[in-house]
Each structure stands twice: as structure tokens, then as C-alpha cells.
Amino acid sequence: MKMNKTRSGFVAIVGRPNVGKSTLLNAILNEKIAITSPKPQTTRHKISGILTKDDYQIVFVDTPGMHKGKDLLNKRIDKLAVSTLRDVDSIIFVVDRIKGKAEEHIINYFKNVNCPVYLVINKIDLLKSKAEIDEVIISYLGSYDFEGYYPISAANNENINYLLNDIVNSLEEGPFYYPTTAKTDKSDEFIMAEFIREKILLYTEEEVPHAVAVVIESIDYNKEYKTLDVSAIIIVERPSQKKILIGKNGEKMKKIGTEARLDINNKFDIKTHLSLWVKVKKDWRNRPTELTKYGYHEE
């Protein structure tokens, strides 16, 4: 019996912070894998989203926004994003504006890779005319030999199919690296922690969102009620941040917990009881031991 040949590949999604990389990943998979928010540096880890069809599998690697970080955490995050470029078969470079210094900084990294780079102009729904879209594209002409130019709206799922078709057509013969039912390489604990952190990003301001780490302490399945009991610790750097996070009479923490619990319910299709605790760890973002403890390993 003749076996059908399969194709596969790894595709990095890169760009500066807040250009919509995670929104694009979720749109491609038609499922929420990566958290999103209006805050820069929402994504802190490499997150693989897996798209499998009958004859191909693409592993999309969502990376943190490339930038020149100041604290040790952000330096590790930027190094993580750059290291991803060495291990993929193609790159999606997401932008949302005319080329500037931040974009030039990222393009310089492409000169050390040997794979196709697709330039994706995201958020076209926010541009007023085709002329504005053309203006963005023109600003990148000559800066790199891009495989193609793709104006899209990840939020509205507009024109993504053109990009996806070209990537599929470029795939080489290869095995499936993950089970056909897998949607991500991340654990359930990681996804739950990220859902909690997403709500913190949405409902806190200034320094608080970036000073937060979330650690799942325990997940227990209640056989009698067929529910999950999830306990998580939220790490902050200062007592003042803890106070802001909890809010007056605990209202902010209650809102964060309620919305994160609903996301967990929907994702895992099970009723969840979520308990949140806040702990202060002074200057954890600049302490190598603490960074590693909370999952931010050095590449």
C-alpha cells in the first residue's frame, strides 16, 4: 500500500512589541493559544501553535516582541526571540507602520538566516485607504529580499488565507512532529497561568503588568463534582503593586479571577474553581535564580 507523503515545517512569527503576532497565531489556528492585550511585551515565551491538515503540519512559533530590554527579564526575552530565527524553515515578519529604527533593528537579524521571510502588514483595518497601505509597503522595499508582501487584519481574519497558502506551498516533504490533535506544545498549567496574566495586563496600569509573574501551584480534579480546583500565585516586586492588584475590597482581584476562570472553563471544557494569591518578591525581574524559577530560562 502506497503511503501519502506528508510535508511539514517550522515558521517563526516575529516583530516588535504589540504588532499583533499573537492575534495572528490565534487567527491562523482559529483557537486561542496565545494571550493578547494592548500592552507591549504581552508575550514572554516562545509559544508553538500547531496547524495540522491531512497532508501537512505547520508549527508556528509566536515569539516575544523584539526590543532592547533594560532589566534582565527583558534581555532574556529579546535573546529568546532572536534565537528562534536559527531553528525555523521560514519567518513571518509582522509590522503595522512605516519602517523605522525598531524595524531596521529586526531586519538586520534576517541577514544571518537562510530561509524565506514574509513581510506581513497587520492592522490594515485601522488604515484609511489603499494608498496608506501602499505607503507602508513602499517603505520596506529594498531593505530586504522579502518572499512577499501581505496586507492583513489579524483581528478581522482578513487576507490571512493568501499568506497561509504561500507558506503551505513552500513546505518540503517531512514528518509530523506532533500528534494530529495537538494545538500547542505548552502544558495546561502554562496556558492557565497565561490566561491569568492576560487579565492582569488588561486591568492594571503603569508598572504593575510588567512586574507580574504567574505560577500555577496546584491543579486538582474533583471526581465527585467533575470540576477543577486551580490554585495560582501572582508574583509582584513591591507591596504597593500588591495593593493595586488586589484593589479596593479585593474587587480588582475578583474581576481578574472571574474572567480568567471563564477562559479556563472554555479552553478545557470543564467547570473550574480558581484561587489566586499575591506574593511580593523584591526585584525578581533582575534576579537570575527567580527568573529561572518562574520559567524564564536563559537560552
Side-chain angles (χ1 to χ4, degrees), residues 13 22 52 129 150 210 232 256:
I13 305 176
S22 298
T52 305
S129 65
Y150 302 83
H210 306 292
I256 289 166

Side-chain angles (χ1 to χ4, degrees), residues 233-252:
I233 293 178
I234 300 170
I235 313 295
V236 294
E237 290 186 316
R238 297 193 297 273
S240 59
Q241 294 167 348
K242 178 177 179 178
K243 185 177 179 180
I244 293 169
L245 191 55
I246 293 172
K248 188 176 180 181
N249 299 322
E251 287 301 313
K252 185 161 287 188

Side-chain angles (χ1 to χ4, degrees), residues 102-113:
E103 288 77 18
E104 288 178 358
H105 173 69
I106 296 169
I107 289 170
N108 282 332
Y109 288 120
F110 299 155
K111 294 169 184 176
N112 296 318
V113 302

Side-chain angles (χ1 to χ4, degrees), residues 97-99 130-140:
R97 66 183 188 187
I98 289 173
K99 181 168 64 88
K130 184 179 180 298
E132 287 193 21
I133 297 171
D134 290 342
E135 190 178 358
V136 176
I137 293 173
I138 289 168
S139 73
Y140 289 90

Side-chain angles (χ1 to χ4, degrees), residues 14 66-68 78-79 81-83 85-86 91 102-114 117 144:
V14 305
M66 291 180 173
H67 70 301
K68 294 180 180 179
D78 191 49
K79 192 174 179 182
V82 173
S83 70
L85 302 179
R86 301 192 300 261
I91 298 167
E103 288 77 18
E104 288 178 358
H105 173 69
I106 296 169
I107 289 170
N108 282 332
Y109 288 120
F110 299 155
K111 294 169 184 176
N112 296 318
V113 302
N114 187 27
V117 181
Y144 189 79

Side-chain angles (χ1 to χ4, degrees), residues 183-243:
K183 285 296 183 75
T184 182
D185 64 337
K186 292 301 183 183
S187 66
D188 294 349
E189 289 88 346
F190 176 88
I191 292 173
M192 290 178 185
E194 285 287 272
F195 283 169
I196 296 165
R197 193 169 65 85
E198 178 184 59
K199 306 312 172 190
I200 295 169
L201 286 162
L202 289 173
Y203 296 117
T204 58
E205 298 295 335
E206 297 175 359
E207 182 63 15
V208 176
H210 306 292
V212 162
V214 180
V215 178
I216 301 295
E217 277 226 305
S218 64
I219 301 175
D220 296 312
Y221 178 66
N222 188 315
K223 292 182 180 178
E224 182 179 355
Y225 297 103
K226 296 182 179 178
T227 59
L228 282 183
D229 294 322
V230 180
S231 177
I233 293 178
I234 300 170
I235 313 295
V236 294
E237 290 186 316
R238 297 193 297 273
S240 59
Q241 294 167 348
K242 178 177 179 178
K243 185 177 179 180

